[in-house]
Every structure is written in structure tokens, then in C-alpha cells.
Amino acid sequence: MSKPLVQVSDLRVVVRGADGPVTILHGVDFSLEAGKVLCVLGESGSGKSMTMRALMRLVPRSATISGRVLIDGVDVLALRERELARIRGSLVAMIFQEPATALDPTFTIGHQIAETVRAHEGASWADARRRALDLLELVQVPSAARRLQAYPHELSGGLRQRAMIALALSCRPKVLIADEPTTALDATVQIQVLLLLRELQRELGMATLFVTHDVGVACEIADEVAVMYAGRIVERGSTEEVLGRAGHPYARGLLRSVVTSDLVGTRLVPIDGSPPELSALPPGCSFAPRCNHAIERCSAAVPELAALSASHRVRCARLGELEPAIPHAQEVST
Amino acid sequence: MIHDQKTLAAASPIRSRGFLADMGRRFAHDPITLGAGGVLLVVALAALLAPWIAPADPNATSIVNRLRPPGTPGHPLGTDELGRDLLSRVIWGGRLTLFMGFTPVVVATLIGGFLGILAGYAGGWVNSAIMRGMDVFYAFPSVLLAVAISGALGGGLVNGLLALTLVFIPPIARVAESVTLQVRTQPYVEAAVATGASATRIVVGHVLKNVAGPILVYASSLISISIVIASGLSFLGLGVSPPDAEWGLMLSSLRQSVYVAPVNAVIPGAMIFLTSLCFNTMTDGLRHALNVKE
């Protein structure tokens, strides 16, 4: 087993709010090898986006990050501002959720890509433009040469996201962070962009962190899956392990909310309640108030991430006591 | 589907007309703006070409020809209280009036824009220091402030310009600050940070380019106010000093003859009115063309 490219341990983020500090991340640990895809699943507010931003230290000024983030041997949290700018885009790059607003409306696509290439590699404008053209072709933008001259508003959502991907790939990052890159797109375009990302990831051998709340997306491209809830990873493991034999009641609930054609005529089982207020988390397991299996012990202390197999970890106090998970589609239809 | 229209637009041959061409096209479809622009063009050209097109020396007095009504042979707009040709004085006066309308706004846009963007981007105590400083000037109505400053500095063209510039810096800085605050939180700024852009590149590239439009639209709306206040200062004897031709000053001196030659007295006032009205109309058109929402 090679040494992981990304190593995150005990990552904590605290934001100073109007009513005192709020802890967004309560010690997140994971690692990722080169060339692998880790999908981070979770609802809105579970801290998945914050985790990704913390990796690049793209957090609001009111937030403080602690813990340890090692990317390719670089201690990201110890970098000074200037060094940080050098690794952003070249070592770690990010694809944003909303290509419509994450591209500057006043510059052409080509300019924005070329500018980044120039900033990192000191290339001439001509070279940078040539590279931008190559990149647009790489992300399969039709008539790429002309699209270089286009402003973001002149492109469709899918093309814009492709341009965004080209921008992220412009300086050959070793780690690509994709924060719900397909959420803002039409269903048909989503698939195209997803397939493109998978293809590029394999071709370029990037370690990829893929944030999504869509289990289907995770199935499609992930090697490993981590499920987040209220600022903690509650379950992680290989894709088959987490999606096939989920151990945590929340992860199971998440999988049960996937709609497939098998479910026609059956009732969907939602997870009761709503995500907890981050400023007032319950003691012990944060999911306990919504959990059908919660017992007194669950509220006593935050459960540790316990090993279910070599790679499969679950943060549940009743791990092993609950009935083994059965594939979700059958579970619902019976 | 949200994307339908955009997809269709993208599917049609790409016609990237560019920003200026787009703006020009929107202008062309707006007859009122075009009309206002035409009037301003005439006024500006007349002012620029004054030495060549003015029919007479604007300062040549003639005691016998005092207060001739418009239409007098040789004096299409009549003469003033010292017998000077009014048309020539209106043409020459446009120079100073427009100059006093433009210069303070241009200078104030540079200074106020810089301060506002700095305050908005830096935030924290820099913001507080700059913006609270601006608030001090805000405590006074603009006309009163201009009168007070040029009164304190003494009359004259330069002091008048200085007073007007000081009056316009705070509002422009405030607009620049609020637009910068807005732009700073835009995802594309975060995205630029994520690609490793330096603070300088973000401010000079992304912020400046995105705040320029709203600031320019706001600044251009100040030109008409600047013209009116500048004329007002001259009218009060605080701006341009006689015998130079300036519309406010002309209005002031012809005011005494308003019962004898009312039409003559109205002419410089009408010019001030017309010019500032046209500037306002132009500004509205500009705002429309730049698609600035307020």
C-alpha cells in the first residue's frame, strides 16, 4: 500500500458566530491515495463542503482551523499566505457547485484559464492561451477555439461547468476537489459531466474528493465513500462496503432515500426529523435524536469510529447489536 | 427547464459581440437617450470649438448695445447688461461649466473609488477608519458643504473645483465600498482564491472590473449635480470670477435685468437646465445599457 497523498487528521473548524463560537467540524480524519476517488456524502450542513474548503484553507475569516492536513507532504495548515497561493490551483484545485457564479462574468473563459496558467507557471500569454485551448479540448468543449473568446453568460450550464473543470485542471493538480459539481446542472448534463470527470480523473491519475448528496453519483465514480453527519464522519469504507453493507443507521437511512424504478408503488422511508442545530448538538451521538435504534447509551458519549473490517469504519455505539444491513431496495419493498 | 434558453443561445453560432458593442446596441435602441446624447454632443462640441465658432469676442462690451433682445441682427441671442454677445458667452461659458461639471467628478471617482474599494476589500479597522471618515462629510448637505469649503478657501476656479471634489468623494466611496463588499463575497472571487490568485490580482483583476460599471454609472449621475452646484457657486460669487463667461455667473449678473430683459436672463439658466437634464437622461440610459440594478 502506497503512502496516502492526502492525510487529514483531527480536522476541526470553529466559526465565531454572533452567538459565540460554533464548531462546524469535530475532528475529521481520512486519507486518500493517489488516483483514488473519495466521495463525501451527507445532507446540507453536515460539514462536507467545509471539510473540502478547510483542505485549501478557503474558509471565512471568522473561522479557525485546527488539526493536520498533509497533501503530498505539504502541511497545508502551517503554510504562509504566499505559499498557500502557490499550492492552490497547482497542487490542489477545486471545482465549484455553481459554474454560473464561480466564473468571473467580466472575463472570457480563455482569459480566466490562461491567467491561472500564467500565475502558476509564468508562461507567456501565447503559451497560456494555447494551453487553455488544449484544456477546453480535453474537457470536450465543442468548437473550443471559439469558446475561448466566450464570456461565461454565453455558455450553457454544462459548457460552463466544463470550462470550470478546465480551469481547475489548468495547472495539473495532484488533488482535485469537486464540491457538488453536478448539482446545478440538468439531469442529462449531470451524467455527461460525471462521466467526463471520471474519465479525466483516471486519465490524469488525480486523487479526487467528490462532495455530493447524491448516492447515485457516489456509486458511479467512488472508490471509497465517507458519510458525514453534523461535522463528523459517521461511516467510511470502500464503496461496496458503505453502500452495500452500511453499518450506521444514518447511512442506512440515506441509502433508503434513494429512489429507483424498483420502488414504484412502495412508500419511501424518509429519515425523521431534521439536521441538528450545529450550535446545540446533543451530547453523545449527534444522530441519536433521529435514530430509531437509539438507546440511553447513545447519548452518553460520542461513539468512536469502530472498525467493521480492515477498511470499513462506523461511528455507532450499537455497532454489532443492530441487525446486519440488507440491500436497501429489498429492505423497502418487503 | 432553466437551461433551455441558454442552451439554445449557445447552440446558435457564437456571436461574441463584446461588451462595448453590446452597450452601443442597447443605446441605439433608446431614442430618448440618443436625443439627450445628441444635445450634449452639440453643447460639448460648441464648448470645445468656442474660439472658432463663437461669432464675437465674449468679453467685448458695448454700452450702446446693452440688453438687446434675442433676434437682434448680429446678436442671435441678444446681449447682456454690458452689451456682450450672449450667444458667444453661452458658447464660451459652456467650456467652464462643463469643465467644472466633469473635473470634480473624475477626480472624485478616482479618489473615492480607490478609498471605497480599499475599505470594502480590506474590511476590519481599515474599513471603519475610511468609512467613518466619509460619514463626517455626509453630515452636511452637499450644496452647503461645497459653499462652506469654497467659502473658507476663498473664491476662484481651483478652489471651486476642490470644494466640489471633496463633496463627491464620500458618496462615490460609499458606493464603491458597498459594491466591493458585494463582489468580494461572490463565488468567482472565492474561485479565484482557489486557483491561487494573489490578493493584488484579485483586486486589480476581478474586483476592479466588476465594480467599475456600477461606480461609473453612479459617478456619471453626479455630473449633472456637479454642473448645477458649480453654477451655483459661481452664482454666489464663490466659483468663477467675472468677467469670465460661465453660465452660473451669467445668470447671476443677468438676474438684475430680469424685469427689463426676461428672455436674456433666462438663457444661461435654460442652458444649465438643459445640460444637466440631458446628463441625467444619459445616465439613465447608461445604467440601462450596463444593466446595473439598484
Side-chain angles (χ1 to χ4, degrees), chain B residues 108 133-154 159-172 225 229-230 232-233 236 238:
Chain B
M134 294 293 149
D135 285 349
V136 172
F137 287 90
Y138 253 112
F140 304 97
S142 53
V143 178
L144 195 63
L145 185 61
V147 169
I149 295 172
S150 57
L153 296 172
N159 288 344
L161 290 176
L162 200 63
L164 280 169
T165 308
L166 284 175
V167 165
F168 290 134
I169 288 175
I172 291 176
I225 300 174
I229 300 183
L233 287 181
L236 295 172
L238 291 168

Side-chain angles (χ1 to χ4, degrees), chain B residues 19 23 26 217 284-294:
Chain B
F19 179 68
M23 209 176 95
R26 256 176 269 175
V217 166
D284 277 347
L286 184 70
R287 178 174 324 192
H288 195 69
L290 284 171
N291 222 351
V292 176
K293 289 165 207 101
E294 285 195 273

Side-chain angles (χ1 to χ4, degrees), chain B residues 96-106 168 222-223 226-227 230:
Chain B
L96 273 177
T97 306
L98 289 181
F99 179 70
M100 288 196 68
F102 265 104
T103 320
V105 174
V106 172
F168 290 134
L222 291 178
I223 293 175
S226 181
I227 289 175

Side-chain angles (χ1 to χ4, degrees), chain B residues 16 74 88 105-106 132 135 138 167 170-171 184 195 245 258 274 286:
Chain B
S16 185
S88 307
V105 174
V106 172
R132 294 303 78 76
D135 285 349
Y138 253 112
V167 165
R184 202 184 68 175
T195 61
V258 73
L274 186 70
L286 184 70

